[in-house]
Amino acid sequence: MLLTREEMTLYHDAPRFSIEHDREAILRALSHLFYGEIGAVKIGQWVTKAPDLEGMLEIVKQTRDETRHAGIFRRLLQRYDAAPEAALVSDMGELHGVISHTWEEMLFESMVVGEGLALVLIYFYHDVIADPPIRRGLRRVIHDEESHVEYGERKIMEHLARQPELRGQLLAMQEALIQHYSGFITGQTPADPLEAMIAGFPLAIIQMHMTRLQRLRLL
């Protein structure tokens, strides 16, 4: 990826949350992650719009990955005698409101911006939660998500090299996307100490995103 793991790390201290002491906060986080992955499965609709076999196979892979990730988070919830919190089902729409109309826009929206921002939060959960089963599950998800972001970045750079005029189109698009994601994060009242920590990081997350745009040569 264009950003290293260290550059995308928000929390650098020892893990401070555990199921034993912070059960409700962690289960709520796992529910958010479950519904986020369910929403991400909608990328599968692009399989018939892929410009070539490579693109088609990548969409098939990512759809399979997102489905597997939802299963990972569901099993983690079951491990702790819990189920996805129904009140959070809106995550599926709020975090995956597709505005793309072309293949290039989809690469940028879903893989570069969407998954790039999501990966920052998944790293954060991995670093801040102490329980080994959760950390192992998150590492499995991280491996896949990193490959999704890397594919999107690489393909966007290839498209920009062939279509320089795409730059302005993607810049305009990213402004709308950042407003959408920022509004989702800042428009909610933190429900627990874990969410309160995340609420303190919007500027750092946006700076990571801007660094990615610079390395994509969009800025």
Side-chain angles (χ1 to χ4, degrees):
M1 296 185 298
L2 295 175
L3 274 72
T4 65
R5 168 68 159 95
E6 179 63 24
E7 289 176 311
M8 297 173 68
T9 297
L10 294 169
Y11 182 78
H12 296 86
D13 297 324
R16 55 175 288 190
F17 289 86
S18 68
I19 282 289
E20 181 180 2
H21 299 105
D22 310 283
R23 176 182 171 85
E24 293 307 314
I26 291 178
L27 294 181
R28 183 176 173 85
L30 291 174
S31 290
H32 276 299
L33 290 166
F34 170 78
Y35 285 121
E37 296 292 352
I38 290 290
V41 171
K42 72 170 60 175
I43 197 172
Q45 68 186 324
W46 286 90
V47 70
T48 59
K49 303 172 185 177
D52 51 34
L53 180 60
E54 180 192 14
M56 185 180 295
L57 292 175
E58 181 65 24
I59 293 299
V60 170
K61 173 189 176 298
Q62 291 196 21
T63 304
R64 184 178 65 243
D65 289 347
E66 309 298 3
T67 302
R68 186 172 63 255
H69 299 167
I72 289 172
F73 294 127
R74 184 168 182 265
R75 286 190 296 274
L76 283 170
L77 285 162
Q78 291 172 334
R79 182 187 185 99
Y80 300 111
D81 299 315
E85 190 175 329
L88 303 179
V89 71
S90 62
D91 283 6
M92 289 192 296
E94 291 287 350
L95 294 177
H96 299 279
V98 178
I99 63 174
S100 303
H101 296 98
T102 68
W103 177 257
E104 294 82 4
E105 289 177 346
M106 182 279 299
L107 290 173
F108 186 70
E109 177 183 3
S110 295
M111 301 181 202
V112 174
V113 180
E115 300 225 38
L117 295 174
L119 190 51
V120 173
L121 293 178
I122 296 171
Y123 284 149
F124 170 78
Y125 285 130
H126 173 272
D127 296 339
V128 82
I129 295 173
D131 301 272
I134 297 175
R135 290 168 65 86
R136 284 195 298 271
L138 288 168
R139 283 196 294 271
R140 291 174 62 192
V141 172
I142 284 168
H143 178 269
D144 292 334
E145 300 292 2
E146 287 174 340
S147 73
H148 302 173
V149 174
E150 187 279 329
Y151 178 87
E153 290 173 341
R154 176 164 49 85
K155 288 299 176 180
I156 283 295
M157 293 182 78
E158 290 177 6
H159 285 295
L160 285 169
R162 293 193 300 267
Q163 305 168 258
E165 68 277 8
L166 187 61
R167 178 177 175 275
Q169 180 181 340
L170 295 182
L171 281 176
M173 186 180 190
Q174 76 90 24
E175 291 181 11
L177 290 170
I178 288 300
Q179 288 181 358
H180 174 75
Y181 288 121
S182 297
F184 178 77
I185 294 173
T186 61
Q188 299 192 44
T189 301
D192 53 57
L194 188 52
E195 289 190 1
M197 282 187 71
I198 295 172
F201 289 124
L203 292 179
I205 295 172
I206 290 174
Q207 182 55 53
M208 294 173 190
H209 169 69
M210 300 305 287
T211 300
R212 175 171 279 113
L213 294 186
Q214 289 171 345
R215 294 177 187 177
L216 283 168
R217 300 185 182 89
L218 279 170
L219 294 178

Coordinates of all heavy atoms in Angstrom, one line a residue, residues 41-104:
V41 N -20.4 -6.2 1.0 CA -20.6 -7.3 0.0 C -21.3 -6.7 -1.2 O -21.2 -7.3 -2.3 CB -21.5 -8.4 0.7 CG1 -22.0 -9.4 -0.4 CG2 -20.7 -9.1 1.8
K42 N -21.9 -5.5 -1.1 CA -22.6 -5.0 -2.3 C -21.6 -4.7 -3.5 O -22.0 -4.4 -4.6 CB -23.4 -3.7 -2.0 CG -22.6 -2.5 -1.6 CD -23.4 -1.2 -1.5 CE -24.5 -1.3 -0.5 NZ -25.2 0.0 -0.3
I43 N -20.3 -4.7 -3.2 CA -19.3 -4.5 -4.2 C -19.5 -5.6 -5.3 O -19.1 -5.4 -6.5 CB -17.9 -4.5 -3.7 CG1 -16.9 -3.9 -4.8 CG2 -17.4 -5.9 -3.3 CD1 -15.5 -3.7 -4.3
G44 N -20.1 -6.7 -5.0 CA -20.3 -7.8 -5.9 C -21.1 -7.4 -7.1 O -21.1 -8.0 -8.2
Q45 N -21.9 -6.3 -7.0 CA -22.7 -5.8 -8.1 C -21.9 -5.4 -9.3 O -22.4 -5.2 -10.4 CB -23.7 -4.7 -7.7 CG -23.0 -3.4 -7.3 CD -23.9 -2.4 -6.7 OE1 -25.1 -2.3 -7.1 NE2 -23.4 -1.6 -5.7
W46 N -20.6 -5.1 -9.1 CA -19.7 -4.6 -10.1 C -19.1 -5.7 -10.9 O -18.4 -5.4 -11.9 CB -18.6 -3.7 -9.5 CG -19.1 -2.4 -9.1 CD1 -19.6 -2.1 -7.9 CD2 -19.2 -1.2 -9.9 NE1 -20.0 -0.7 -7.8 CE2 -19.8 -0.2 -9.1 CE3 -18.9 -0.9 -11.2 CZ2 -20.1 1.1 -9.6 CZ3 -19.1 0.4 -11.7 CH2 -19.7 1.3 -10.9
V47 N -19.4 -7.0 -10.6 CA -18.8 -8.1 -11.3 C -19.1 -8.0 -12.8 O -18.3 -8.4 -13.7 CB -19.1 -9.4 -10.7 CG1 -20.6 -9.8 -10.9 CG2 -18.2 -10.5 -11.2
T48 N -20.3 -7.6 -13.2 CA -20.7 -7.6 -14.6 C -20.3 -6.3 -15.3 O -20.4 -6.2 -16.5 CB -22.2 -7.7 -14.7 OG1 -22.9 -6.7 -14.0 CG2 -22.7 -9.1 -14.1
K49 N -19.7 -5.4 -14.5 CA -19.2 -4.1 -15.1 C -17.7 -4.0 -15.2 O -17.2 -3.0 -15.6 CB -19.8 -3.0 -14.3 CG -21.3 -3.0 -14.2 CD -21.8 -1.9 -13.2 CE -23.3 -2.0 -13.0 NZ -23.8 -1.1 -12.0
A50 N -17.0 -5.1 -14.8 CA -15.6 -5.1 -14.9 C -15.1 -5.0 -16.3 O -15.7 -5.6 -17.2 CB -15.0 -6.4 -14.2
P51 N -14.0 -4.2 -16.5 CA -13.6 -4.0 -17.9 C -12.8 -5.2 -18.5 O -12.5 -5.3 -19.7 CB -12.7 -2.8 -17.8 CG -12.1 -2.9 -16.4 CD -13.3 -3.4 -15.6
D52 N -12.3 -6.1 -17.6 CA -11.6 -7.3 -18.1 C -11.7 -8.4 -17.1 O -12.3 -8.3 -16.0 CB -10.1 -6.8 -18.3 CG -9.5 -6.1 -17.1 OD1 -9.9 -6.5 -15.9 OD2 -8.7 -5.2 -17.2
L53 N -11.0 -9.5 -17.4 CA -11.1 -10.7 -16.6 C -10.5 -10.5 -15.2 O -11.0 -10.9 -14.2 CB -10.5 -11.9 -17.3 CG -10.5 -13.2 -16.5 CD1 -11.9 -13.7 -16.2 CD2 -9.7 -14.3 -17.3
E54 N -9.3 -9.7 -15.2 CA -8.7 -9.4 -14.0 C -9.6 -8.7 -13.0 O -9.7 -9.0 -11.8 CB -7.4 -8.6 -14.2 CG -6.7 -8.3 -12.9 CD -5.6 -7.2 -13.1 OE1 -5.6 -6.6 -14.1 OE2 -4.8 -7.1 -12.2
G55 N -10.3 -7.7 -13.5 CA -11.2 -6.9 -12.7 C -12.3 -7.8 -12.2 O -12.8 -7.7 -11.0
M56 N -12.9 -8.6 -13.1 CA -14.0 -9.5 -12.7 C -13.5 -10.4 -11.5 O -14.3 -10.6 -10.5 CB -14.4 -10.3 -13.9 CG -15.6 -11.2 -13.6 SD -16.1 -12.1 -15.1 CE -16.6 -10.8 -16.2
L57 N -12.4 -11.0 -11.7 CA -11.9 -11.9 -10.7 C -11.6 -11.2 -9.3 O -11.8 -11.8 -8.3 CB -10.6 -12.7 -11.1 CG -10.8 -13.6 -12.3 CD1 -9.5 -14.2 -12.8 CD2 -11.8 -14.8 -11.9
E58 N -11.1 -10.0 -9.4 CA -10.9 -9.2 -8.2 C -12.2 -8.9 -7.5 O -12.2 -9.0 -6.2 CB -10.2 -7.9 -8.5 CG -9.9 -7.0 -7.3 CD -8.9 -7.7 -6.3 OE1 -8.1 -8.5 -6.8 OE2 -8.9 -7.3 -5.2
I59 N -13.2 -8.6 -8.2 CA -14.5 -8.4 -7.5 C -15.1 -9.6 -6.9 O -15.6 -9.6 -5.8 CB -15.6 -7.8 -8.6 CG1 -15.1 -6.4 -9.0 CG2 -17.0 -7.8 -8.0 CD1 -15.1 -5.4 -7.9
V60 N -14.9 -10.8 -7.6 CA -15.3 -12.0 -7.0 C -14.6 -12.3 -5.7 O -15.1 -12.7 -4.7 CB -15.1 -13.2 -8.0 CG1 -15.3 -14.6 -7.3 CG2 -16.0 -13.1 -9.2
K61 N -13.2 -12.1 -5.8 CA -12.4 -12.3 -4.6 C -12.8 -11.4 -3.4 O -13.0 -11.8 -2.3 CB -11.0 -12.0 -4.9 CG -10.0 -12.0 -3.7 CD -8.6 -11.5 -4.1 CE -7.7 -11.5 -2.8 NZ -8.2 -10.5 -1.8
Q62 N -13.0 -10.1 -3.7 CA -13.4 -9.2 -2.6 C -14.8 -9.5 -2.1 O -15.0 -9.4 -0.9 CB -13.3 -7.7 -3.1 CG -11.9 -7.3 -3.4 CD -11.7 -5.8 -3.5 OE1 -12.5 -5.0 -3.0 NE2 -10.7 -5.3 -4.2
T63 N -15.7 -9.9 -2.9 CA -17.0 -10.2 -2.4 C -16.9 -11.4 -1.5 O -17.6 -11.5 -0.4 CB -18.0 -10.6 -3.6 OG1 -18.0 -9.4 -4.5 CG2 -19.4 -10.9 -3.1
R64 N -16.1 -12.4 -1.9 CA -15.9 -13.6 -1.0 C -15.2 -13.2 0.3 O -15.6 -13.7 1.4 CB -15.1 -14.6 -1.8 CG -14.8 -15.9 -1.0 CD -14.0 -16.9 -1.9 NE -12.7 -16.4 -2.1 CZ -12.2 -16.1 -3.3 NH1 -12.9 -16.3 -4.4 NH2 -10.9 -15.7 -3.4
D65 N -14.2 -12.3 0.2 CA -13.5 -11.8 1.4 C -14.5 -11.2 2.4 O -14.5 -11.5 3.6 CB -12.4 -10.9 1.0 CG -11.2 -11.5 0.3 OD1 -11.1 -12.8 0.3 OD2 -10.4 -10.8 -0.2
E66 N -15.3 -10.2 1.9 CA -16.2 -9.5 2.8 C -17.2 -10.4 3.4 O -17.6 -10.3 4.6 CB -16.9 -8.4 2.0 CG -16.1 -7.4 1.2 CD -15.1 -6.7 2.0 OE1 -15.0 -6.8 3.2 OE2 -14.3 -5.8 1.4
T67 N -17.7 -11.4 2.7 CA -18.6 -12.4 3.2 C -17.9 -13.2 4.4 O -18.5 -13.4 5.4 CB -19.1 -13.4 2.2 OG1 -19.7 -12.6 1.1 CG2 -20.1 -14.4 2.7
R68 N -16.7 -13.6 4.1 CA -15.9 -14.3 5.2 C -15.7 -13.4 6.4 O -15.8 -13.9 7.5 CB -14.6 -14.8 4.6 CG -13.8 -15.7 5.5 CD -12.6 -16.3 4.9 NE -11.6 -15.3 4.5 CZ -11.4 -15.0 3.2 NH1 -12.1 -15.5 2.2 NH2 -10.5 -14.1 2.9
H69 N -15.4 -12.2 6.2 CA -15.2 -11.3 7.3 C -16.4 -11.1 8.2 O -16.3 -11.1 9.4 CB -14.8 -9.9 6.8 CG -13.5 -9.9 6.0 ND1 -13.1 -8.8 5.2 CD2 -12.6 -10.8 5.8 CE1 -12.0 -9.1 4.6 NE2 -11.6 -10.3 5.0
A70 N -17.6 -11.0 7.5 CA -18.8 -11.0 8.3 C -19.0 -12.2 9.2 O -19.4 -12.1 10.3 CB -20.0 -10.8 7.3
G71 N -18.6 -13.4 8.6 CA -18.7 -14.6 9.4 C -17.7 -14.6 10.5 O -18.0 -15.1 11.6
I72 N -16.5 -14.0 10.4 CA -15.6 -13.9 11.5 C -16.1 -13.1 12.6 O -16.1 -13.5 13.8 CB -14.2 -13.3 11.0 CG1 -13.5 -14.3 10.1 CG2 -13.4 -12.8 12.1 CD1 -12.3 -13.6 9.4
F73 N -16.7 -12.0 12.3 CA -17.3 -11.1 13.4 C -18.5 -11.7 14.0 O -18.7 -11.6 15.2 CB -17.5 -9.7 12.8 CG -16.3 -9.0 12.4 CD1 -16.2 -8.4 11.2 CD2 -15.2 -8.9 13.3 CE1 -15.0 -7.8 10.8 CE2 -14.1 -8.2 12.9 CZ -13.9 -7.7 11.7
R74 N -19.3 -12.4 13.2 CA -20.5 -13.1 13.8 C -20.0 -14.2 14.8 O -20.6 -14.4 15.8 CB -21.3 -13.7 12.7 CG -22.6 -14.3 13.2 CD -23.6 -14.6 12.0 NE -24.8 -15.2 12.5 CZ -25.1 -16.5 12.5 NH1 -24.1 -17.3 12.1 NH2 -26.2 -16.9 12.9
R75 N -19.0 -15.0 14.4 CA -18.5 -16.0 15.3 C -17.9 -15.5 16.5 O -18.0 -16.1 17.6 CB -17.5 -16.9 14.5 CG -18.2 -17.9 13.5 CD -17.2 -18.9 13.0 NE -16.1 -18.3 12.2 CZ -16.1 -18.0 10.9 NH1 -17.3 -18.2 10.2 NH2 -15.1 -17.5 10.3
L76 N -17.2 -14.3 16.4 CA -16.7 -13.7 17.6 C -17.8 -13.3 18.5 O -17.7 -13.5 19.8 CB -15.8 -12.5 17.2 CG -14.4 -12.8 16.7 CD1 -13.7 -11.6 16.1 CD2 -13.5 -13.5 17.8
L77 N -18.8 -12.7 18.0 CA -20.0 -12.3 18.8 C -20.6 -13.6 19.5 O -20.9 -13.6 20.7 CB -21.0 -11.6 18.0 CG -20.7 -10.2 17.6 CD1 -21.5 -9.7 16.5 CD2 -20.9 -9.2 18.8
Q78 N -20.7 -14.6 18.7 CA -21.3 -15.9 19.3 C -20.4 -16.4 20.4 O -20.9 -17.0 21.4 CB -21.5 -16.9 18.2 CG -22.6 -16.5 17.2 CD -22.6 -17.5 16.0 OE1 -21.6 -18.1 15.6 NE2 -23.8 -17.6 15.4
R79 N -19.1 -16.3 20.2 CA -18.1 -16.8 21.2 C -18.4 -16.2 22.6 O -18.2 -16.8 23.6 CB -16.7 -16.4 20.8 CG -15.6 -16.9 21.7 CD -14.3 -16.4 21.3 NE -13.2 -17.0 22.1 CZ -12.5 -18.0 21.8 NH1 -12.6 -18.6 20.6 NH2 -11.5 -18.5 22.6
Y80 N -18.9 -14.9 22.6 CA -19.2 -14.2 23.8 C -20.7 -14.1 24.1 O -21.1 -13.2 24.8 CB -18.5 -12.8 23.7 CG -17.0 -12.9 23.5 CD1 -16.5 -12.4 22.3 CD2 -16.2 -13.4 24.5 CE1 -15.1 -12.5 22.2 CE2 -14.8 -13.4 24.3 CZ -14.3 -13.0 23.2 OH -12.9 -13.1 23.0
D81 N -21.4 -15.1 23.5 CA -22.8 -15.3 23.8 C -23.6 -14.0 23.4 O -24.5 -13.5 24.2 CB -23.1 -15.6 25.3 CG -22.5 -16.9 25.6 OD1 -22.6 -17.9 24.9 OD2 -21.8 -17.0 26.7
A82 N -23.3 -13.4 22.3 CA -23.9 -12.2 21.8 C -24.3 -12.4 20.3 O -23.9 -13.3 19.7 CB -23.0 -11.0 22.0
A83 N -25.1 -11.4 19.8 CA -25.5 -11.4 18.4 C -25.4 -9.9 17.9 O -25.3 -9.0 18.8 CB -27.0 -11.8 18.3
P84 N -25.3 -9.8 16.6 CA -25.1 -8.4 16.1 C -26.3 -7.5 16.6 O -27.4 -7.9 16.6 CB -25.2 -8.6 14.6 CG -24.8 -10.0 14.4 CD -25.3 -10.8 15.5
E85 N -25.9 -6.3 17.1 CA -26.9 -5.4 17.6 C -27.8 -4.8 16.5 O -27.3 -4.1 15.7 CB -26.1 -4.3 18.4 CG -27.0 -3.4 19.2 CD -26.2 -2.4 20.0 OE1 -25.1 -2.7 20.4 OE2 -26.8 -1.2 20.2
A86 N -29.0 -5.1 16.6 CA -30.0 -4.8 15.5 C -30.0 -3.3 15.2 O -30.2 -2.8 14.1 CB -31.4 -5.3 15.7
A87 N -29.8 -2.5 16.3 CA -29.9 -1.0 16.2 C -28.8 -0.4 15.3 O -28.9 0.7 14.8 CB -29.9 -0.4 17.5
L88 N -27.8 -1.2 15.0 CA -26.6 -0.7 14.2 C -26.7 -1.1 12.8 O -25.8 -0.9 12.0 CB -25.3 -1.2 14.8 CG -25.1 -0.9 16.3 CD1 -23.7 -1.5 16.8 CD2 -25.1 0.6 16.5
V89 N -27.8 -1.7 12.4 CA -28.0 -2.2 11.0 C -27.8 -1.1 10.0 O -27.4 -1.3 8.8 CB -29.3 -2.9 10.8 CG1 -30.5 -2.0 10.8 CG2 -29.3 -3.8 9.5
S90 N -28.0 0.2 10.4 CA -27.9 1.3 9.4 C -26.5 1.4 8.9 O -26.2 2.1 7.9 CB -28.3 2.6 10.1 OG -27.5 2.9 11.2
D91 N -25.5 0.8 9.6 CA -24.1 0.9 9.2 C -24.0 0.4 7.7 O -23.1 0.8 7.0 CB -23.2 0.0 10.0 CG -22.9 0.7 11.4 OD1 -23.4 1.7 11.6 OD2 -22.1 0.1 12.1
M92 N -24.8 -0.6 7.4 CA -24.7 -1.1 6.0 C -25.0 -0.1 4.9 O -24.3 -0.1 3.9 CB -25.8 -2.3 5.8 CG -25.4 -3.5 6.6 SD -26.4 -4.9 6.2 CE -28.1 -4.4 6.6
G93 N -25.9 0.8 5.2 CA -26.2 1.9 4.3 C -25.3 3.1 4.4 O -24.8 3.7 3.5
E94 N -25.1 3.5 5.7 CA -24.4 4.8 6.0 C -23.0 4.7 5.5 O -22.4 5.7 5.0 CB -24.5 5.1 7.5 CG -25.8 5.4 8.0 CD -26.2 6.8 7.6 OE1 -25.4 7.6 7.1 OE2 -27.4 7.2 7.8
L95 N -22.3 3.5 5.7 CA -20.9 3.4 5.3 C -20.7 2.9 3.9 O -19.6 2.9 3.5 CB -20.2 2.5 6.3 CG -20.2 3.0 7.8 CD1 -19.5 2.0 8.7 CD2 -19.4 4.4 7.8
H96 N -21.7 2.6 3.2 CA -21.6 2.1 1.9 C -22.6 2.7 0.9 O -23.2 2.0 0.1 CB -21.7 0.5 1.9 CG -20.6 -0.1 2.7 ND1 -19.3 -0.3 2.3 CD2 -20.7 -0.6 4.0 CE1 -18.6 -0.9 3.2 NE2 -19.4 -1.1 4.3
G97 N -22.8 4.0 1.0 CA -23.7 4.6 0.1 C -23.0 4.9 -1.2 O -22.3 5.9 -1.4
V98 N -23.1 4.0 -2.1 CA -22.4 4.1 -3.4 C -22.8 5.3 -4.2 O -24.0 5.4 -4.5 CB -22.5 2.8 -4.2 CG1 -21.8 2.8 -5.5 CG2 -22.0 1.6 -3.4
I99 N -21.8 6.1 -4.6 CA -22.1 7.2 -5.5 C -21.4 7.0 -6.9 O -21.5 7.9 -7.7 CB -21.7 8.5 -4.9 CG1 -20.2 8.6 -4.7 CG2 -22.5 8.8 -3.6 CD1 -19.7 10.0 -4.2
S100 N -20.7 5.9 -7.0 CA -19.9 5.7 -8.3 C -20.8 5.3 -9.4 O -21.9 4.7 -9.3 CB -19.0 4.5 -8.0 OG -18.1 4.8 -6.9
H101 N -20.4 5.8 -10.6 CA -21.1 5.5 -11.9 C -20.2 4.7 -12.9 O -20.7 4.1 -13.8 CB -21.7 6.7 -12.5 CG -22.7 7.4 -11.7 ND1 -22.4 8.5 -10.8 CD2 -24.0 7.2 -11.5 CE1 -23.5 8.9 -10.2 NE2 -24.5 8.1 -10.6
T102 N -18.9 4.8 -12.7 CA -18.0 4.2 -13.6 C -17.0 3.3 -12.8 O -16.9 3.3 -11.6 CB -17.1 5.2 -14.3 OG1 -16.2 5.9 -13.4 CG2 -18.0 6.3 -15.0
W103 N -16.4 2.4 -13.5 CA -15.4 1.5 -12.9 C -14.3 2.2 -12.1 O -14.0 1.8 -11.0 CB -14.8 0.6 -14.0 CG -13.8 -0.4 -13.5 CD1 -12.4 -0.3 -13.6 CD2 -14.0 -1.6 -12.8 NE1 -11.8 -1.4 -13.0 CE2 -12.7 -2.2 -12.5 CE3 -15.2 -2.3 -12.4 CZ2 -12.6 -3.4 -11.9 CZ3 -15.0 -3.5 -11.7 CH2 -13.8 -4.1 -11.5
E104 N -13.8 3.3 -12.7 CA -12.7 4.0 -12.1 C -13.2 4.7 -10.8 O -12.5 4.7 -9.8 CB -12.2 5.1 -13.0 CG -11.4 4.5 -14.2 CD -12.4 4.1 -15.4 OE1 -13.6 4.3 -15.2 OE2 -11.9 3.6 -16.4

